[in-house]
Amino acid sequence: MKTLPEPFNHLPDTALFHLTLSSGDILFRQGEAAGAFYVLQQGTITLSRWSRSGDQIVVHTAYNGESFAEAALFSEIYHCDAQAKTACNLWQIDKAAVLAALMAEPDFALQLTAKFAGQIQALRHRQELLAIRSAQERVYAALCAGMLTIDIKHFADSIGLAPETTYRALAVLVREKRIIKTARGLYAQIGG
């Protein structure tokens, strides 16, 4: 049984390949032929490019449930490196099959467009959170947005803070009675 989100679960089995990666594994490199994009079931993948001076620039971090490397649908090559930041389970989705489904199935095309639009909205929201300079206010805003879904380490990473900074901010928010600790690693907004 496919465990892919809509609309990918409607693609033929021949278009799908399940992968597992260990932390540090390279999925693809910048300049390699782009024959697929991916849906991350579990884990964290960083997409990065290298500057002319040799510095690594992370252009995106993909988390559970997100697709990534969607530009491969309309590109001959990958424009960045993809590396597993943690152990990962993911689906490789054949580009040709997706393009065929986009042209032949209007419902698939609409669902895929809606999924990609939702991811863009989530990315913009994440960028807004990263612009909040105060760690305490960033943690509060992210908590109110429901971003604490796995654990504090993943939560901290998703909002660009060290876990220690996040724990300190959570402790201050609890003391200020803006949030409550509901269980180990779980917090909720008071009155929300």
Side-chain angles (χ1 to χ4, degrees), residues 15-51:
L16 310 169
F17 185 72
H18 189 260
L19 301 170
T20 57
L21 301 175
S22 298
S23 180
D25 285 353
I26 302 295
L27 181 60
F28 57 78
R29 294 242 183 236
Q30 184 174 343
E32 290 180 353
F37 73 99
Y38 302 86
V39 174
L40 186 58
Q41 282 185 293
Q42 184 178 9
T44 307
I45 298 274
T46 57
L47 303 177
S48 59
R49 294 184 183 155
W50 298 90
S51 72

Side-chain angles (χ1 to χ4, degrees), residues 125-139:
H125 182 254
R126 192 177 295 152
Q127 293 297 339
E128 288 173 11
L129 286 172
L130 293 175
I132 299 172
R133 294 173 73 70
S134 162
Q136 183 178 320
E137 291 308 313
R138 187 183 308 174
V139 166

Side-chain angles (χ1 to χ4, degrees), residues 159-173:
I159 60 173
L161 296 173
E164 299 79 15
T165 303
T166 303
Y167 279 115
R168 283 192 298 273
L170 287 165
V172 169
L173 291 167

Side-chain angles (χ1 to χ4, degrees), residues 11-187:
L11 293 168
D13 289 342
T14 55
L16 310 169
F17 185 72
H18 189 260
L19 301 170
T20 57
L21 301 175
S22 298
S23 180
D25 285 353
I26 302 295
L27 181 60
F28 57 78
R29 294 242 183 236
Q30 184 174 343
E32 290 180 353
F37 73 99
Y38 302 86
V39 174
L40 186 58
Q41 282 185 293
Q42 184 178 9
T44 307
I45 298 274
T46 57
L47 303 177
S48 59
R49 294 184 183 155
W50 298 90
S51 72
R52 290 182 185 198
S53 61
D55 295 321
Q56 183 181 24
I57 302 164
V58 175
V59 294
H60 181 65
T61 302
Y63 298 96
N64 297 354
E66 292 182 6
S67 62
F68 63 95
E70 300 89 345
L73 288 172
F74 304 102
S75 177
E76 294 299 315
I77 61 169
Y78 292 110
H79 294 109
C80 60
D81 293 351
Q83 183 173 24
K85 192 171 180 180
T86 65
C88 296
N89 288 307
L90 62 155
W91 289 96
Q92 178 178 299
I93 301 176
D94 180 68
K95 157 176 153 171
V98 173
L99 291 173
L102 284 170
M103 292 189 296
E105 302 173 34
D107 287 343
F108 177 84
L110 285 173
Q111 288 179 350
L112 186 60
T113 302
K115 178 163 183 54
F116 288 167
Q119 283 190 190
I120 290 169
Q121 289 171 330
L123 179 60
R124 287 180 179 157
H125 182 254
R126 192 177 295 152
Q127 293 297 339
E128 288 173 11
L129 286 172
L130 293 175
I132 299 172
R133 294 173 73 70
S134 162
Q136 183 178 320
E137 291 308 313
R138 187 183 308 174
V139 166
Y140 183 70
L143 185 68
C144 292
M147 293 179 66
L148 178 54
T149 57
I150 300 173
D151 58 34
I152 301 296
K153 185 177 183 303
H154 285 92
F155 176 65
D157 184 55
S158 72
I159 60 173
L161 296 173
E164 299 79 15
T165 303
T166 303
Y167 279 115
R168 283 192 298 273
L170 287 165
V172 169
L173 291 167
V174 168
R175 279 195 307 273
E176 291 178 350
K177 297 187 181 344
R178 294 174 69 191
I179 64 172
I180 57 171
K181 185 172 184 175
T182 59
R184 183 177 180 191
L186 297 176
Y187 297 83

